[in-house]
Amino acid sequence: MAVEKKRPVRRTTVADVARLAGVSAMTVSNVLNAPHRVSEPTVRTVQAAIDELGYTPSHAARALSSGRSQVIGLPLYLEDDTFADQNPGLGGFLHGLLGGLVKAAAVSGYGVHVTTPTEGATEIALYEKLIAARQVDAIVVLETMPRDPRIEFLSNRGFPFVAFGRTGPAQRQCWVDVDNEVSMAAIARHARSTGRTRAAYLATDSGLPWVHQRQEGFLREFTSPHAVQSFSDLDAVVAYVENALDRSDRPDLFVADNDAFAVVAMRTLQRRGVKVGQDIAVTGFNDFPFASMLDTPLTTARIPLRDIAGCLFDRALHEINGDPDQPGRLVTAPLVVRASA
């Protein structure tokens, strides 16, 4: 008896999806590669057809046909690890941002390539390597500075990028940033509404723009007596809070521009028998995972990392596709009120 050979199962194609959805193959391609170009109802219709047919885009085929890698690069370069070593929440911050970026990219069939320069190499040298090898279609730049040389390099090369942090006024405005000033101003207004009048502001000793933006937001709203002090390590925060408690005009509020400083201030106060949230209030900024799990949960501003990551990837697609420049995007960090204030 002759054995009937099984016919190979035909792979579902873009044409099959387009036929079921009642759209063109180009529309399906746009839904997969540039969903911002397609109306939301069409995206839903095409996605339903994809789900029904079990269509899985071929990464290799898409990369070959488009000339793209279908990957965005996320270089991480920490030149000075001193603050990072003392700030356990920083790892959670990067993890949340990366997780959100990977999730947003996956929806459009993209991957995220995380890399770091070799010892002694610069971040720009890493950019040159990524571009020369055609490993990525765009680069995510973190913690931008005024007149940032990384932005200048990528702009001169004409290579797609998106920045977490604002670019200069003469550069492409392909950035997403936390509205640090508005978010910290909300903390100051809340503190005033609870009757606090004497504030000590604990600032990070750094030239990064967010440090100054948060401080400006606080000073704009909290005009009653206050003191501002910058710190480069946690031990200095402890010493400052200890000394402040011994003054006749001791603060009734400590406002920190990051959660790590806030937690150190709270512990110092508690060791001195101060009831945090009653005798003296404390606030932070970021809402790292540990903030809600303290004996006295921390009032802080929550940076919406998943939303920011989604905005970053969306802007990266705009740059990859050569779309016209658009204004940068500010994202507010909402106030989270807990027992510490």
Side-chain angles (χ1 to χ4, degrees):
M1 175 184 286
V3 178
E4 184 179 351
K5 292 183 179 180
K6 292 184 178 180
R7 294 182 179 180
V9 178
R10 188 176 71 86
R11 182 183 180 89
T12 303
T13 67
V14 167
D16 297 325
V17 175
R19 192 177 304 111
L20 180 59
V23 298
S24 68
M26 179 59 72
T27 298
V28 176
S29 178
N30 281 334
V31 168
L32 293 170
N33 299 301
H36 60 281
R37 292 183 170 181
V38 186
S39 68
E40 289 188 13
T42 301
V43 170
R44 289 195 295 269
T45 299
V46 172
Q47 189 60 55
I50 289 173
D51 295 341
E52 182 176 337
L53 294 174
Y55 172 67
T56 303
S58 168
H59 179 85
R62 289 170 66 184
L64 184 63
S65 63
S66 65
R68 297 174 180 172
S69 66
Q70 300 294 127
V71 175
I72 60 172
L74 180 63
L76 299 178
Y77 183 59
L78 299 176
E79 186 175 7
D80 183 2
D81 291 333
T82 303
F83 182 71
D85 289 342
Q86 295 197 59
N87 191 343
L90 185 60
F93 181 90
L94 292 175
H95 182 269
L97 181 65
L98 176 58
L101 197 58
V102 168
K103 185 176 181 179
V107 172
S108 295
Y110 263 77
V112 179
H113 178 51
V114 181
T115 184
T116 187
T118 55
E119 187 174 355
T122 66
E123 190 170 341
I124 289 179
L126 177 59
Y127 291 178
E128 290 178 324
K129 181 180 178 180
L130 291 172
I131 294 170
R134 298 182 179 179
Q135 289 180 280
V136 298
D137 296 332
I139 289 174
V140 180
V141 184
L142 301 180
E143 292 191 327
T144 57
M145 297 285 289
R147 296 179 294 278
D148 196 307
R150 299 170 300 172
I151 302 299
E152 292 290 343
F153 170 79
L154 292 169
S155 298
N156 291 337
R157 289 292 299 267
F159 193 80
F161 70 90
V162 61
F164 187 9
R166 293 160 228 194
T167 58
Q171 297 167 332
R172 285 186 68 83
Q173 299 303 295
C174 47
W175 56 264
V176 180
D177 198 14
V178 177
D179 198 335
N180 291 290
E181 188 170 341
V182 166
S183 303
M184 184 60 86
I187 291 177
R189 285 195 300 272
H190 169 72
R192 285 196 296 109
S193 74
T194 61
R196 307 294 172 177
T197 60
R198 297 183 309 280
Y201 187 87
L202 313 177
T204 303
D205 187 9
S206 170
L208 289 170
W210 63 262
V211 173
H212 305 289
Q213 292 159 5
R214 292 179 190 178
Q215 183 172 318
E216 289 169 6
F218 171 76
L219 295 178
R220 189 183 76 201
E221 293 292 334
F222 206 99
T223 55
S224 55
H226 57 259
V228 177
Q229 187 69 36
S230 297
F231 306 93
S232 57
D233 62 74
L234 301 181
D235 291 338
V237 176
V238 173
Y240 178 81
V241 174
E242 288 275 7
N243 292 334
L245 289 177
D246 294 330
R247 297 201 306 261
S248 59
D249 60 341
R250 76 178 193 177
D252 61 5
L253 168 68
F254 287 92
V255 176
D257 71 5
N258 66 84
D259 286 348
F261 284 5
V263 171
V264 168
M266 288 174 61
R267 289 176 176 170
T268 305
L269 294 172
Q270 289 164 342
R271 283 197 298 268
R272 290 284 296 269
V274 174
K275 294 180 180 178
V276 174
Q278 299 179 36
D279 302 334
I280 297 178
V282 178
T283 67
F285 202 109
N286 288 329
D287 197 28
F288 288 146
F290 57 73
S292 64
M293 298 184 289
L294 302 168
D295 291 339
T296 303
L298 179 64
T299 291
T300 185
R302 175 180 296 151
I303 296 181
L305 292 174
R306 292 298 175 94
D307 293 343
I308 289 171
C311 292
L312 284 169
F313 181 73
D314 183 60
R315 293 306 298 265
L317 278 185
H318 278 270
E319 295 302 304
I320 292 169
N321 293 320
D323 293 338
D325 197 18
Q326 297 178 357
R329 173 80 179 273
L330 285 173
V331 179
T332 301
L335 174 66
V336 181
V337 178
R338 300 191 181 106
S340 74

